[in-house]
Amino acid sequence: MNLGKIHKDVAVVGAGMTLFSRRLQETGKEMSWEAAQMALDQADLSLDDIDAVIMGSAPDAFDGVHKKGDWLLDGAGGTNRPYMRVYTGGGTAVFAPIAGWWHVASGLFEKVLVLCEEKMSSCMPHAQSAFAHIWDPILDRPLKPNLVWIFSMEMQRYMHTYDVRYEDIALVAVKNKRNAVGHPCAQLADPDITLDDVLTSEPMALPVRRLDISPPSDGAAAVVLVSEDVAYELTNEPVWIDGVGWCIDSTMWTNRDLAFPKFVAHAARMAYEMAGIKNPRKEIDIAEPYDPFDYKELQHLEALGLADPGQAAIMTREGKTQRDGELPVCPSGGLLGVGNPIAATLGIKVGELFWQLSGQAGARQVPGDPAVGVAQAWGDLMQFSSVIVMRRRS
Amino acid sequence: MSHRDVAVIGVGYTNFNSVTPEVNWKELMFEAAQKAYQDAGIDPRRDVDSFITCAEDFWEGFSIFDEFTPDQLGAALRPMHTVPGDGLQGLANAYMQIKTGLFDIVVVEAHSKISELLTYEDVVQLSFDPIYEAPLSNGVHPYYVAGLEMRAYLQATGTTEEECAAVVVQNKRNAFLNPLAEFECELDVESVMRSDYAFDPLKAVEIAPRADGAIVFVLAGGEIARELTDVPVYLEGIGWCSESPWIASRSSDASYAKRAAQMAYQQAGLENTQLIDIAEVDDQFAFKALQHLEALGLARPGEAGFLMVEGAFGPQGQLAVNPSGGSLGCGHLMEASGLARALEIVLQLRGEAGQRQVEDAMIGVAQSWRGLPHGTGAVAVFSRRE
Amino acid sequence: MNQAIKPKGRSLSAEQMKQVPHVIARPQAKYAWAAGVAMSHFLEGLKQGKILGRRCMACERVLVPPRMFCERCYRTTDGWVELPGTGVIETFSISYIDTNANRIKDPIFVGVLAFDGAPPHCGIMHYFGEVSPEEIHIGMPVEPVWKPESERVGAITDIKYFRPREGIPSKRISQRRKRG
C-alpha cells in the first residue's frame, strides 16, 4: 500500500437521512429519494451536478427483490449515470462511502452521491427470516440458528476473556438511548431508561437481553462526496475523508477467538496510517463505532485502539464516553438509540461525524470544537469491518 | 486521469461447464484464483492489496454472500469486498482503487454456479418490480421481456430476424475453437429460422444456455505491471451505466452501453472505433449482440445485422466479434460473463488465443449487460502497447 | 431541533401495515449446492461416526471444518486426519428464542467447541445437552453424543449434541486481564 500518494483528496459536503422506524410507509425508492434530496440540498447541489452514484444496501432478502441495487437506482438518482452497488453486510454503512471515496480519489469523478437504503419491514413475518440464510448450509443451518446466537456467543467469550461485567455493558444501551433524544430521526430514544430496565429486560439468548439489541428498522441516508478541486467552491467547512480502511476475516468463524475482532484492528490501522494518526487516543475527538448490540461498542472501541482490551467498560462506567466526556462515543445515539436500518446507519456514523465536525449537530453537538472523528461499521459473519477517519482542517 | 495506468498482469479460469457437481463454489474459485496468481507470479498473502468479488445473493442462495469468499482467494484478514454487479463493474472498482494511488495490486473475481439454482425463472422474476411488473409475470417465463425488447429493436432499426439468426450461427461456430466452450454447434441461418419461437420473435436457439465457471483477474499499477510481466495488457478505460430500471422505459438502442462506451473511450483516448481489432459483446439473446455493436459505435444503427450476414464480423472480417463464441457458444456465466468477454480480449492481446488468434490484435473492447429486466452494463477497453 | 436534519417518513404500526395498499409475494428460491470435495468427505465421516479434519503441513494445523485449501498459507491441504471427537467449550449461549424469533420455554444450549487434536480455537458450532445453566462454562470438556448408526445420514445433525465429559478437569482459558 502507498500511503501519502493519494491522487485526490475527498470531502463530505452534505448529508441527509430519513426517519428511522420499525415500519415506514415509504418504499425503498421513496426513502432513497428523500435522503438524497436532503444531502443534495445541504450541499447546495442538484442531481445534475452528480457524476456517479454509489448504493449501499444489505440483504436483498429484506426487500424481497433480486438485484435490488438496480431496482432502487431511480430513487437513488442513478438513472443514466455510472451507478455502483457495494455490499459487505453490516459493514456497508461505512463501506459505501469508502467506495464513494475511491470514485473521487481516483480522479474519475468530481462529485458523487453515496446512498444507503434499508427496508427491513417488507420481510415477513419478521426480518429475522432473512438472516436464516447467512449461515453455512451444511455446518450451521441444520442446527436452526437464530441470528442473536452469534452475538450472544461472541459477547460470552468477550466477557469471559476480559472479565467484563454485564452491568457495565448495559450502561452502553442506557447512554445511547439517552443520547438519541437529541436525534430527530430516532426510533428508540428514551430519556428515562435506566440500567435496571436493561438488566431486567427479557432474556433472548443469554447473555443477551432484549434491551441489549437494536431492533430492525426502515430508513435511508445519503452523503455527498466531492473532490478537493471543488470542495471550497461549495462550502467553507468541508469535512475531509482523511483515512479509509477495511478488512475481512475468514469465513470459518468457529476457528477464531471471538474475544477480540482482529479484522477491526487491521481496518483501523489502515485508516489511521492513511490519516497520519499515530496516537488515536489523543488525536480522535469523537468515535462512532458500530453498536448493534451494547457489548459491540466496547469491543469495537478496543479494536479501534481507543481503549485497552477489557477497559472500555470501565471508561463507560466512569462516564468518559458521554457526550461531554473525554472521548464522546456514539453522540448520535448509535444504532441502539436511533435505530438499525443496517446500511442506512451511514447517517448516524459518517453522517453524524459530518454534522458534528461542521458544528451542525444541534442538540447532540459535542462541545469543545471537535476536529477529528472515526466512524466504524461491522458486518458479515462477524468478519468484516470498515473504518473512516474524518477531519475538519480549519 | 492519465496519472497512473492500470494493467492486467494475470488471469486464471476454470472450464465453463453446464454442471459442476464435484466441487462447491469455494473450490471452483480456488482453482481459478490459484491459476491467476501463478500467471501473475505473485503470492496473494503478501502481494495483493485488495480483493473484489462480484456476486448476487439470490444467484448464490445466501444472504450476504460476501461472507463465503475470502478464504479461497487468499483474502482472509485482508481488504476485500463484494460488488453486486457484473465482472466488468468489479474491474471498474479495481481500476479506481489503483488510480487512487493507495493500492498497487488488486484482484477481481467472478463466477457462476447457476446450475445449483433450481428455480432460475422464479429468481429472475424476483428482480422485476414487485408492485407493477412482477404480478404481470405470474406463470409466465420472465424472458418474454427479451421478446419485447427484440421486437422493439427490430422495429427501430429495420434489422431482420435472419440477421439475428446469423449471430447464433457465427458464435456457435466460433466456439469450436475455444477449449473452454461447451455449446459449439454447426448451424445455418435457415435451420435457425425454421426453429421454434420461444418468445416471438426470439427463438429458443437464440437464447444463450447457462454455464458454471470461475474467472480471476489480477490488476496492477502500470509501473508495477511493467516490472512483473513482459506482456501487460493495459486497461485503458472503463465505463459503466444504468438506465432506468423500469421495463417500460427500456431504450431500444442499449443506451446504457452507449454511455458506458463513451466513458471508456474517453478515458482511453480512443476517438476512432476503427482502431478496435476485437469486440467481445454480450449476446445472452442473439439480437443483443447486434444492438450492442451499434451502441459501441462499431456499426451504424441498423447496420450491424447486415455486416454480420456479410461476414464483416467473422474471424476473417474487418472486426473480429466474439471470437470466443460469446455466451451463445460458451454458455452464459451470469455475473462472470463480462469477465469471460474480457478474458478473451486479454488472451487475444497476449497472443495466447491458439487457433482463435486474431492477427496483430492491439486494441480490444469487452462489453457486458447484466441481463433483463434492467439496462445496466459496462464497457472496458484493453490494449497491448508497443 | 437540529436544522440540518429534517426527518421524513411516515411511521406505521403493525396494524396499519396490513391496511395500507400492499402486495404480498413469496419468493421461490430453491438451491442444491454441491457439497464439494472436502465437505462431502466430512459428511461421509459423520455418517460413520467420525470427525475428520484436513492437515496443512505448512502451518501444521488440522483444519476442522475441513477444507481443500488452507486460507492462511494459501495452498492445497495435505491429508485427512481423524480426530477423537472430544473437545472444550469455547463459548456458549442459553437461548430462549428459536430460529423464527418465537419464545421457547425450555432454552436451547448452543455454542462453539474446539476439538481435541486440532489447534486452539478449531472447531464447530453445535448444541450442548445434559447440562444445566449453572454448570455450563467456557473451558468445559465435552464429548459428542451420536445418533444411532441407522439414523445417521451424513449431516451435522448426526451428532445430537455435545455433553460434559465426566472426570475430566476444566481447561482454564487464560483470562487476559485480572481485574482488581
Side-chain angles (χ1 to χ4, degrees), chain A residues 133-342:
Chain A
H133 310 287
I134 63 167
W135 303 89
D136 182 284
I138 295 179
L139 295 163
D140 301 333
R141 264 190 242 185
L143 300 173
K144 303 204 180 67
N146 181 295
L147 176 71
V148 180
W149 293 4
I150 292 183
F151 296 92
S152 61
M153 288 189 277
E154 190 183 46
M155 181 173 168
Q156 185 85 264
R157 182 83 189 173
Y158 171 68
M159 288 170 69
H160 173 91
T161 302
Y162 299 116
D163 207 14
V164 177
R165 298 175 353 172
Y166 178 55
E167 293 76 6
D168 291 336
I169 293 177
L171 283 176
V172 172
V174 175
K175 168 177 72 78
N176 289 1
K177 288 175 193 289
R178 285 193 185 175
N179 278 354
V181 172
H183 204 302
C185 305
Q187 176 182 341
L188 304 153
D190 187 349
D192 303 316
I193 186 171
T194 65
L195 178 59
D196 210 58
D197 291 332
V198 181
L199 299 180
T200 56
S201 60
E202 85 189 300
M204 306 289 284
L206 292 176
V208 171
R209 293 177 175 268
R210 178 171 291 286
L211 290 179
D212 294 316
I213 312 176
S214 58
S217 307
D218 291 352
V223 290
V224 177
L225 304 184
V226 305
S227 158
E228 64 188 53
D229 298 331
V230 298
Y232 286 108
E233 290 169 28
L234 296 171
T235 172
N236 290 330
E237 203 73 279
V239 177
W240 299 91
I241 293 186
D242 273 0
V244 299
W246 67 100
C247 185
I248 194 170
D249 207 337
S250 164
T251 308
M252 300 301 184
W253 64 277
T254 57
N255 290 174
R256 294 189 261 127
D257 189 336
L258 301 175
F260 184 83
K262 270 195 230 172
F263 52 96
V264 177
H266 277 57
R269 193 184 326 143
M270 188 176 152
Y272 290 152
E273 262 190 70
M274 191 179 140
I277 298 221
K278 304 224 169 21
N279 190 342
R281 290 181 212 196
K282 288 215 161 65
E283 299 175 60
I284 301 288
D285 299 320
I286 305 179
E288 279 283 352
Y290 212 58
D291 61 320
F293 285 63
D294 42 17
Y295 79 94
K296 293 303 305 180
E297 175 175 304
L298 303 178
Q299 203 189 32
H300 287 158
L301 280 176
E302 292 161 7
L304 287 169
L306 297 170
D308 285 336
Q311 294 296 299
I314 301 181
M315 273 172 69
T316 308
R317 194 198 306 151
E318 294 173 353
K320 293 186 175 157
T321 58
Q322 295 285 348
R323 248 187 227 132
D324 56 4
E326 258 171 50
L327 175 66
V329 178
C330 293
S332 59
L335 279 61
L336 287 164
V338 185
N340 187 3
I342 309 198

Side-chain angles (χ1 to χ4, degrees), chain B residues 6 92 139 160 173 188 219 224 239 280 298 310 347:
Chain B
V6 178
T160 65
R173 181 182 295 143
D188 57 26
L219 287 96
I224 297 185
E280 282 275 328
L298 298 171
E310 291 292 296
L347 294 176

Side-chain angles (χ1 to χ4, degrees), chain B residues 283-358:
Chain B
D283 61 334
Q284 283 172 55
F285 308 107
F287 81 94
K288 291 297 286 186
L290 302 178
Q291 189 192 47
H292 288 146
L293 284 167
E294 289 164 3
L296 261 51
L298 298 171
R300 284 192 288 266
E303 283 197 1
F306 168 75
L307 290 169
M308 180 68 68
V309 166
E310 291 292 296
F313 296 138
Q316 274 83 46
Q318 64 214 42
L319 168 70
V321 172
N322 290 352
S324 66
S327 290
L328 285 163
C330 296
H332 179 46
L333 292 172
M334 315 310 297
E335 307 299 347
S337 71
L339 272 195
R341 304 285 77 73
L343 174 66
E344 179 68 10
I345 299 292
V346 170
L347 294 176
Q348 290 278 357
L349 294 182
R350 283 178 174 183
E352 293 172 9
Q355 291 183 287
R356 308 185 307 288
Q357 186 65 51
V358 171

Side-chain angles (χ1 to χ4, degrees), chain B residues 21-24 27 30 33-34 37 44-45 58-62 71-74 76 116-119 122 126 130, chain C residues 21-23 25-40 67-76:
Chain B
E22 64 289 349
V23 291
N24 66 12
E27 292 158 353
F30 182 62
Q34 265 199 316
Y37 300 146
R45 303 301 283 152
F58 271 103
W59 291 142
E60 309 289 340
F62 295 94
D71 300 340
Q72 55 268 31
L73 299 179
E116 297 183 340
L117 169 55
L118 303 176
T119 54
D122 295 283
L126 201 59
Chain C
H22 61 278
V23 167
R26 192 186 176 83
Q28 294 300 321
K30 296 196 194 314
Y31 307 82
W33 303 281
V37 177
M39 288 310 294
S40 296
R67 45 259 197 205
M68 297 315 288
F69 48 84
C70 173
E71 75 283 357
R72 267 193 219 166
C73 309
Y74 200 67
R75 56 188 289 283
T76 315

